[in-house]
Amino acid sequence: MRTWKWILTAALLASISVTTISAAAQQAADAQPSAQPSAPDATQTAQPSSAAPAPSTPAAQTAPTQVSQPAPEQQVPAAQPAAAPAAAPTTMDQVVNLFIQREHGLIKMLSNRTPVVETYLQNLTNDAQLGPVPSADHYFLGRMDMGESVDRKDYLKEQETGFQTRLMGGFQKLFKVQYQPLGFSWMVYADRTDFDREHYDFHYIRREFLGDVRTLVFDVTPKKSAGRGRFLGRVWVEDQAYNIVRLNGTYFPAPRNSFFFHMDSWRLNLIPGYWVPSYIYSEEGDFSAGVKNKQAFKAQTRIWGYDLKKGDKDDELTQIRVDSVKDDSPTAQDASPLQAEREWQQQAEDNVVERLTRAGLLAPAGDLDRILQTVVNNLEVTNNIDLPRPVRTRVLLTSPLETFSVGNTIVISRGLVDVLPDEASLAAVLSHELAHIVLGHNLGSKFAFNDRMLFSDEGTYQNLGFKHIPEEEQAADKKAVELLKNSPYAQKLDNVGLFLKALQLRAGSLSALLTTHLGNPLAEGGTVNRLSALATQGPALDNNKLDQIAALPLGGRVKVNPWDDKAEMVKAAPVAITSARDKMPFEVTPFYPRLARFGTNVAPNAAPTTAAANSGN
Ligand SMILES: [Zn+2]
C-alpha cells in the first residue's frame, strides 16, 4: 500500500524535472503584449488614463507626456496623501506624487525590519562554446537593518574584515568597486533619503504588464544639482495604489575610481498595501569583440525573513513556551536508558530546528517538505527501514549546496534542490543523510542543552555545526548507494552520475557555492567527494546533446515567500533548450518573478525567479 505513494511523487516530480529554464521564455512573451493593452486599461479603474496618451493610443510609447518636473504648482505633497486610497489620480503628475509618497510609506513601514539578505555572485569568463561561464564566485549572507541607516550584519565571519569599514551610514553615500555586500542591497529603494521632485525628474514612458499586474513605467533621472550617487533608471508602478514594483538602473554619477553596479530590483505584494523588496539581479561586463572588461560578473540578491522577530536579548529570554503537558506512555514509567537517549536526541533536534527557523535560515515546515519526505519514504519503504521516529525534512533557505541532518531531521539547502535535475538525484543527496540516520551517526545531542541555543542570529554558523568525521562520511556514502540500489531510483542512477560529473566540472570555480556552513561539503579542494561510487555512472557529459540536462541553474525550483519564509516547489512549464548556452548548470540568471497582487491566488505555474538569457539575444 505504501508503494503507490512513490509512484505518485515520481510523477509529480517528473513534471517538474523537465527543466527550469522555462520561466524565461514565458516571461519574455509576457513582456511583449504588455505595453499596449490599452482597451482594458481604459475601462477598469478609470485612473491615470486621463493623463494623456495612455488609453486611446495603442502605441503608448508616443508622447512621453508632460510628467516630468515642470509641475511646481503640484506642490501639494502633504495635502495629497490623505486622499490617497480613494481619489484616483487624474494626471501623471499626480501619479508621480502618489508613488513618491508610497515609497516613503514603504521605507517607514520597513524601518523596524531586519530581513536576511543573501548575495551570490559569479565572476564570468568567456567560453567559446558556452558563452560567459563562471570562473569564480563569492557569497554573502547577512541581516539588513532597514532603519535609519541601512546596515548589514553578516552571518559569515570571514566577511567581517572587509566589512568592518562599516561602509556608508545611509544610501546616499558611495561605495567602491569591491564587492561590498551592502552594495547589492542598495537597490531595495531608489533613494532612501531624497526620493522627491527636488532631486529627480520623472518621465512617463508607457504602460506595461508585469505578470498579472498592470504598471505605469517612468524614467527617473537625477537633477543636475542632486549630488552624487543618485538613482538613474526606470521604475514600474502598479496602477491601483501606485507602489513601485520594480526598479532597474544604477546610481549616478559615480565617484572617481569607483562605479556603481547595474541592478534590477523586484518587489512582491506579500502583505496588503505594500510591495516589499525581494530580488535584485546585478550584472556587469561585456564579452563582445574588442571589449576588455575584467569586471564581468552576475549576482543574485535575495531578501527574506521580513517577519522575523528582532533578535534582541529580552525577546530571546522571555520566549518561554509551555507546551501542553502530555503523558502518553500507557505505563507511566520512567524512560528506559535507550528511551531517554532518544528523548534527549529529539530534544536536541527540536532545539536546532527551532533555532534555525528563528534565525531565518530554515523554511517553516511546508509543502516542499512533503515532496522531500515522500522521496525519503520511498527509500525507506523499499529498504525496509523502520525507525523509531519518522524522518522529517526541512529546507535551508540559502543557496550554497549542502545537506546535513540533526536527529531524524534531514536538511537540504534551497540552492541544492534548485540545481538537481531530477528526482533520482534528489533521492541520492537525501540518501546520504538518511544513511547517517540509519547508521546512528547522530550529531548534535549537545544542543539538547538550551543554553547552547542562546546566541545572536548572526552567530548561528559559529554556534551550530553538523559535520561528520571522514569515516562516517564514507560509511554514509556506502550505505547510501546500497539504499539507492534497492530503491525505485535504482534504474536512474545514470542521472546521478551525470549530475556529479557536472558538479565536478564546475567544482573548481564555484568554491563559494560549494562551501557549506553547517554540514559536510559535497566537494573539497575542487574535487567532488560525495557519493563518489556513482561518479562514473552514466554517459559522458556532452554539451552538444541538448536533451542531456545534468544540472540546472539556480533559482528554478524553489520559491520562497520573503515575508514568512515559506518555501514551495515551482511548477513552471518547461521551455525548450535551443543551444548549449541555455543549460547554464549551477549558474545565476536574472530574476523574472510573475507579479501578482496580494490575495489573488497566483496561478499554479506562477514562476518565481529564474529566467534565462534567450539564446537569440
Ligand atoms: Zn554526511
Side-chain angles (χ1 to χ4, degrees):
M1 154 173 178
R2 275 155 114 194
T3 32
W4 59 263
K5 219 172 166 186
W6 65 258
I7 297 172
L8 204 150
T9 18
L12 211 167
L13 271 166
S15 66
I16 309 166
S17 62
V18 201
T19 289
T20 6
I21 325 215
S22 47
Q26 182 192 337
Q27 305 296 357
D30 282 342
Q32 260 46 313
S34 46
Q36 65 275 51
S38 44
D41 270 352
T43 52
Q44 263 188 32
T45 49
Q47 351 84 353
S49 32
S50 42
S56 47
T57 52
Q61 65 274 58
T62 47
T65 331
Q66 76 287 54
V67 185
S68 47
Q69 83 282 34
E73 80 278 2
Q74 288 284 357
Q75 295 279 36
V76 266
Q80 207 69 349
T90 54
T91 67
M92 283 300 167
D93 257 346
Q94 289 171 344
V95 171
V96 171
N97 287 343
L98 281 172
F99 74 70
I100 287 176
Q101 178 197 317
R102 292 301 302 149
E103 188 70 358
H104 292 157
L106 177 74
I107 291 169
K108 188 154 180 257
M109 190 277 289
L110 292 179
S111 63
N112 61 351
R113 301 280 161 179
T114 57
V116 179
V117 191
E118 176 194 69
T119 298
Y120 176 57
L121 179 151
Q122 293 180 333
N123 293 95
L124 303 173
T125 182
N126 204 33
D127 177 277
Q129 186 190 13
L130 298 174
V133 294
S135 56
D137 62 349
H138 301 269
Y139 182 72
F140 311 100
L141 181 70
R143 289 288 280 275
M144 180 163 62
D145 188 337
M146 303 191 76
E148 275 301 295
S149 60
V150 171
D151 198 5
R152 276 176 73 143
K153 280 186 190 165
D154 272 41
Y155 284 78
L156 312 177
K157 249 267 168 70
E158 60 271 32
Q159 241 68 61
E160 272 168 19
T161 39
F163 199 68
Q164 70 202 358
T165 37
R166 272 302 108 187
L167 305 176
M168 56 249 49
F171 268 54
Q172 75 277 36
K173 298 218 191 118
L174 313 168
F175 69 93
K176 300 251 282 293
V177 175
Q178 292 314 316
Y179 305 125
Q180 307 276 15
L182 185 61
F184 294 97
S185 354
W186 268 31
M187 229 192 239
V188 293
Y189 305 124
D191 186 327
R192 196 179 186 288
T193 52
D194 299 308
F195 192 62
D196 54 36
R197 287 178 180 280
E198 274 147 59
H199 294 82
Y200 292 96
D201 291 331
F202 301 90
H203 296 270
Y204 171 74
I205 301 300
R206 63 160 180 266
R207 284 149 190 278
E208 194 174 312
F209 267 94
L210 291 181
D212 302 335
V213 176
R214 207 171 33 180
T215 65
L216 303 165
V217 185
F218 291 84
D219 276 351
V220 181
T221 48
K223 287 190 192 283
K224 280 217 175 70
S225 55
R228 285 177 186 234
R230 295 298 181 185
F231 176 69
L232 172 67
R234 181 165 283 196
V235 297
W236 283 253
V237 179
E238 50 87 14
D239 71 347
Q240 285 181 15
Y242 303 98
N243 293 289
I244 296 177
V245 300
R246 180 186 180 190
L247 304 120
N248 175 304
T250 186
Y251 294 89
F252 179 86
R256 196 178 276 232
N257 299 328
S258 303
F259 77 100
F260 291 106
F261 308 138
H262 287 87
M263 293 187 249
D264 189 29
S265 173
W266 293 81
R267 298 176 177 178
L268 301 179
N269 194 189
L270 302 173
I271 51 168
Y274 292 97
W275 290 71
V276 297
S278 304
Y279 307 117
I280 303 170
Y281 175 72
S282 324
E283 182 187 291
E284 295 296 337
D286 184 349
F287 287 108
S288 51
V291 175
K292 283 183 188 152
N293 193 331
K294 290 173 193 154
Q295 279 291 338
F297 73 82
K298 49 187 181 176
Q300 287 187 336
T301 296
R302 293 158 198 270
I303 307 170
W304 69 83
Y306 279 102
D307 207 21
L308 291 173
K309 290 257 168 17
K310 268 203 166 182
D312 54 305
K313 279 223 176 74
D314 286 351
D315 188 52
E316 219 151 275
L317 296 175
T318 52
Q319 275 203 342
I320 295 167
R321 203 174 307 154
V322 183
D323 287 320
S324 60
V325 184
K326 55 169 181 170
D327 183 354
D328 50 7
S329 58
T331 55
Q333 300 276 342
D334 288 346
S336 73
L338 180 57
Q339 276 169 338
E341 178 66 24
R342 285 185 178 149
E343 288 285 328
W344 186 248
Q345 285 168 359
Q346 166 108 49
Q347 191 176 319
E349 175 183 340
D350 291 346
N351 277 349
V352 169
V353 166
E354 195 205 322
R355 188 67 190 84
L356 283 172
T357 310
R358 204 145 50 80
L361 294 173
L362 269 198
D367 288 351
L368 180 48
D369 295 321
R370 237 162 282 152
I371 295 176
L372 301 176
Q373 262 151 21
T374 311
V375 173
V376 172
N377 191 59
N378 295 343
L379 292 165
E380 289 185 272
V381 170
T382 46
N383 282 282
N384 298 313
I385 294 169
D386 198 9
L387 296 164
R389 290 191 290 124
V391 173
R392 304 183 292 180
T393 60
R394 292 292 282 273
V395 176
L396 194 68
L397 290 162
T398 49
S399 292
L401 313 183
E402 73 177 298
T403 60
F404 63 91
S405 48
V406 50
N408 273 25
T409 298
I410 296 176
V411 177
I412 179 169
S413 67
R414 174 185 56 73
L416 184 51
V417 179
D418 272 347
V419 299
L420 291 169
D422 64 352
E423 185 176 345
S425 313
L426 176 59
V429 294
L430 293 172
S431 70
H432 174 91
E433 298 303 336
L434 179 62
H436 279 307
I437 293 172
V438 169
L439 296 171
H441 295 171
N442 196 1
L443 287 177
S445 65
K446 64 178 179 180
F447 300 118
F449 290 107
N450 288 283
D451 60 288
R452 294 203 164 111
M453 292 295 112
L454 296 178
F455 48 80
S456 71
D457 289 351
E458 298 82 46
T460 303
Y461 287 161
Q462 281 78 57
N463 287 276
L464 297 182
F466 309 95
K467 290 197 169 106
H468 292 272
I469 56 172
E471 290 78 4
E472 288 183 353
E473 282 299 284
Q474 284 152 21
D477 268 350
K478 189 160 169 262
K479 183 74 184 173
V481 172
E482 209 180 294
L483 297 178
L484 287 166
K485 289 196 166 156
N486 278 329
S487 80
Y489 308 107
Q491 306 309 314
K492 297 187 176 150
L493 296 183
D494 282 3
N495 299 3
V496 181
L498 263 178
F499 173 75
L500 294 171
K501 285 172 201 166
L503 188 62
Q504 180 57 58
L505 194 66
R506 292 287 174 90
S509 48
L510 299 180
S511 58
L513 191 64
L514 286 164
T515 299
T516 55
H517 299 286
L518 295 168
N520 289 88
L522 303 180
E524 259 172 318
T527 305
V528 176
N529 48 23
R530 181 69 50 91
L531 295 170
S532 51
L534 298 177
T536 51
Q537 189 106 13
L541 276 182
D542 186 350
N543 285 323
N544 293 316
K545 280 194 178 152
L546 296 186
D547 60 344
Q548 188 191 78
I549 303 299
L552 304 181
L554 286 163
R557 278 206 194 285
V558 182
K559 179 181 176 179
V560 174
N561 179 318
W563 195 264
D564 60 18
D565 293 355
K566 284 188 182 146
E568 59 179 298
M569 195 70 110
V570 172
K571 297 154 197 129
V575 163
I577 279 183
T578 58
S579 83
R581 295 189 182 198
D582 283 350
K583 292 187 180 180
M584 301 187 293
F586 308 107
E587 288 182 37
V588 156
T589 68
F591 291 110
Y592 243 100
R594 185 174 181 88
L595 299 189
R597 295 188 181 280
F598 180 79
T600 55
N601 246 342
V602 187
N605 64 344
T609 65
T610 267
N614 254 335
S615 60
N617 303 341

